[in-house]
Amino acid sequence: MSHSQTPLSPLRRSRSAAGERLEILDQTLLPWRKEWRPLTTLADAEHAILTMQVRGAPLIGVIAAYGVALGLQEHDDDAGVLNAISARLAATRPTAVNLGWALTRVCEHLRALPELTGQQRINAAWREADAIAAEDADNNGAIGAHGLKLLQAIRNSHPDRPLQLMTHCNAGWLATAGHGTALAPIYAAHQAGLPVHVWVSETRPRNQGLLTAWELMEAGVPHTLMTDNAAGLLILQGRVDALIVGADRIAANGDVANKVGTCLKALAAAHQCLPFYVAAPSSTLDFNAASGNDIPIETRSADELRFVAGVDRQHQASRLRQIDEGHSVYNPGFDITPAALVTAIITEHGVIPAREPALARLLRAQVSEDR
Ligand code: MRU
């Protein structure tokens, strides 16, 4: 992938005599402005997740893990503080299960090391968060490689023209610690010389599709931005070969929670008998949720619909009101795509059906790796 001056990670980590340092790329300013923000306290990590300076299920998990280390730095002599730190971070966003997964992993790691003194415990928290970030990047690489094979097979069925793909929201490097989930196979295809074109849906109301368009532009991947509502037209006109999206949580029965609007694309894809792939690491799997009905759906602020954000002619960040306060507004952040509409899930362990037995095997593989 050739990126012009583009950071390939939404986080920067360093360690020096002065201590540990963590910075994030503020996604509330993208794609207009690249600004890095240091996170130095638990409140900073909480704020970054809550306000979506960082977003995307895997990245939320990674930042939450670092949030534990930041929290311990503020209370290094209090062994009982771990639960309180974890509870604060867990309350930031409800749908992405990677958040709870990462918090459980760091906390269990630290509880298994009761002999550590204050500073040693803090160091152990930083190391575990680093490990989670590194594993996420590795998982992205594996998802890319597995997904590439699927894309090659689809392309072989019509080698005369570029592969037409569609995605929703942003599941690229901005949403993870590596090359992304849904975008990883697309980047891998582009790198392998497979001609691809990506239909990118805007993803109202937060417009994460603009982040995807920006990522693809920087990587030189041909793409076209479209309104969310154009998806049905394009799919039913036969202008799409396959869809790939990410996931925020996958229930035991294979139902998938992802950015609101995903389900409508899956319904249109099923009507047209198109492959609908979900790309996600095993940390997105939640066996405590038997089905999508058990997945909490985040209801977001009405202001996301009442205002539109952008930059003005002077390139200054600006917000414009589009409707007044008198209107009732409903703004769910996610929807549930029934397992029956999902062709397969692309994981770091391979491509598996969105069905309970395959997901249970995946969960076992994940648990044995975490140990
Ligand atoms: O609200 P967001 O922007 O955090 O939602 C992100 C998504 O829904 C992504 O599609 C999902 O997390 C997969 S990210 C690799």
Side-chain angles (χ1 to χ4, degrees), residues 52 55-58 93 169-171 175 181 208 246-248 258-259 334:
M52 294 176 66
R55 44 146 298 283
R93 293 195 69 192
C169 194
N170 171 267
T181 54
Q208 290 94 330
D248 286 79
N258 192 48
K259 180 54 55 194
F334 301 91

Side-chain angles (χ1 to χ4, degrees), residues 82-366:
L82 195 57
N83 286 346
I85 292 171
S86 176
R88 271 176 63 175
L89 290 161
T92 50
R93 293 195 69 192
T95 303
V97 75
N98 309 59
L99 173 65
W101 171 85
L103 289 170
T104 303
R105 176 162 154 181
V106 179
C107 292
E108 280 182 359
H109 178 72
L110 296 178
R111 285 191 193 106
L113 300 166
E115 70 283 5
L116 296 188
T117 60
Q119 187 56 46
Q120 288 170 330
R121 218 157 62 104
I122 295 167
N123 293 343
W126 280 105
R127 296 296 80 75
E128 192 61 5
D130 284 339
I132 289 173
E135 282 166 32
D136 187 52
D138 287 348
N139 290 344
N140 290 175
I143 288 170
H146 293 305
L148 172 61
K149 290 187 198 135
L150 294 175
L151 297 187
Q152 274 163 335
I154 300 170
R155 155 87 176 158
N156 289 345
S157 61
H158 42 69
D160 48 316
R161 58 173 177 78
L163 200 53
Q164 297 292 328
L165 302 171
M166 184 180 279
T167 191
H168 187 59
C169 194
N170 171 267
W173 63 259
L174 282 167
T176 66
H179 277 180
T181 54
L183 292 195
I186 295 175
Y187 285 137
H190 181 64
Q191 223 167 12
L194 209 71
V196 291
H197 168 265
V198 188
W199 293 103
V200 178
S201 57
E202 189 189 18
T203 316
R204 285 283 296 148
R206 298 250 348 170
N207 295 337
Q208 290 94 330
L210 304 185
L211 303 177
T212 297
W214 179 70
E215 276 197 35
L216 295 176
M217 175 80 95
E218 295 286 324
V221 180
H223 63 280
T224 303
L225 184 69
M226 62 185 205
T227 62
D228 298 327
N229 295 333
L233 177 74
L234 287 163
I235 290 171
L236 270 64
Q237 281 180 336
R239 296 168 71 187
V240 180
D241 297 314
L243 293 88
I244 311 185
V245 300
D248 286 79
R249 193 181 295 225
I250 301 173
N253 72 341
D255 288 352
V256 172
N258 192 48
K259 180 54 55 194
V260 68
T262 302
C263 177
L264 282 175
K265 287 186 171 65
L267 285 163
H271 180 84
Q272 199 70 8
C273 297
L274 289 182
F276 185 89
Y277 295 118
V278 172
S282 51
S283 52
T284 304
L285 196 56
D286 180 12
F287 258 61
N288 292 320
S291 77
N293 293 333
D294 303 317
I295 298 178
I297 300 291
E298 177 178 16
T299 302
R300 298 195 50 84
S301 163
D303 279 356
E304 291 184 351
L305 271 80
R306 291 192 180 120
F307 293 88
V308 281
V311 283
D312 61 20
R313 284 175 194 200
Q314 284 73 44
H315 223 72
Q316 296 302 309
S318 182
R319 258 158 56 103
L320 282 180
R321 177 181 281 283
Q322 32 178 29
I323 199 159
D324 65 36
E325 305 286 322
H327 298 269
S328 159
V329 169
Y330 178 49
N331 185 17
F334 301 91
D335 63 22
I336 304 291
T337 299
L341 301 182
V342 177
T343 308
I345 301 178
I346 310 170
T347 76
E348 72 273 26
H349 294 291
V351 179
I352 62 166
R355 301 288 177 268
E356 183 144 359
L359 292 168
R361 280 195 294 278
L362 178 65
L363 188 71
R364 283 197 292 274
Q366 184 219 86

